[in-house]
Amino acid sequence: AQKVTQAQTEISVVEKEDVTLDCVYETRDTTYYLFWYKQPPSGELVFLIRRNSFDEQNEISGRYSWNFQKSTSSFNFTITASQVVDSAVYFCALSESNYGGSQGNLIFGKGTKLSVKP
Amino acid sequence: EAGVAQSPRYKIIEKRQSVAFWCNPISGHATLYWYQQILGQGPKLLIQFQNNGVVDDSQLPKDRFSAERLKGVDSTLKIQPAKLEDSAVYLCASSQLRLAGAGNEQFFGPGTRLTVL
């Protein structure tokens, strides 16, 4: 069955601390995509990154980095030197190419609420 | 480029009433999704359209929910009659049509927050 687990419900850090958000997924597909979205208090989901199942290279974008490990079915997200503006709910999501013939549907985790205090 | 537009932003109704939400996707995006996000949870897909055809509505409670995308552009989601458990944020998203299907980046609208009393 397809499933995304974000075990951390809430995380609170002080500004400039590094923080890692965990994501573990389950899928039977060999071809799939993983995503991270940010949902600030305004409510709109903002795309952060997409990674396909054949590309295990880690990625860095400014203060954000992602660690994809197929061996442990994890796709973790690290924010370096966190800032107050990083406060939001972060969702990890899975998209499979062969699920029920419906391609592109996102299966979301429950999200991790990150609070960055000044 | 204009983003995904949704209206209304907020709606409060009593149970057993009906309600409709509207979504206008990003211009040129063939695929449109409606998600339901209950407080404290991740969004859950209700229905996916490709142009004006339904691709997946397996999680849509069809006894009370309906959706249409008549001209392959904007879409309406309706609930009739509403129940207390329908209180949630309803998110619309759109993506470009690509051959592979999966992996398309979805762009989300601001959502409609529904409260059923």
Side-chain angles (χ1 to χ4, degrees), chain A residues 102 105, chain B residues 31-36 44-50 52-62 65-69 75-78 91-93 106:
Chain A
S102 304
N105 298 343
Chain B
T31 309
L32 185 147
Y33 309 81
W34 282 103
Y35 289 88
Q36 180 192 57
K44 184 186 81 170
L45 180 77
L46 292 175
I47 189 167
Q48 177 189 357
F49 292 95
Q50 195 147 294
N52 60 351
V54 175
V55 175
D56 183 5
D57 62 357
S58 58
Q59 298 190 86
L60 186 74
K62 298 181 187 65
F65 286 64
S66 64
E68 58 184 13
R69 192 185 184 199
S75 175
T76 303
L77 176 69
K78 295 179 182 177
L91 295 163
C92 179
Q106 294 184 23

Side-chain angles (χ1 to χ4, degrees), chain A residues 3-4 8 11 16 33 43 46 52 54 66 97-98 115 118:
Chain A
K3 189 178 178 181
V4 175
Q8 303 150 309
I11 299 176
K16 298 184 184 174
Y33 292 79
V46 177
N52 74 55
F54 299 108
W66 291 269
S97 60
N98 297 314
S115 298

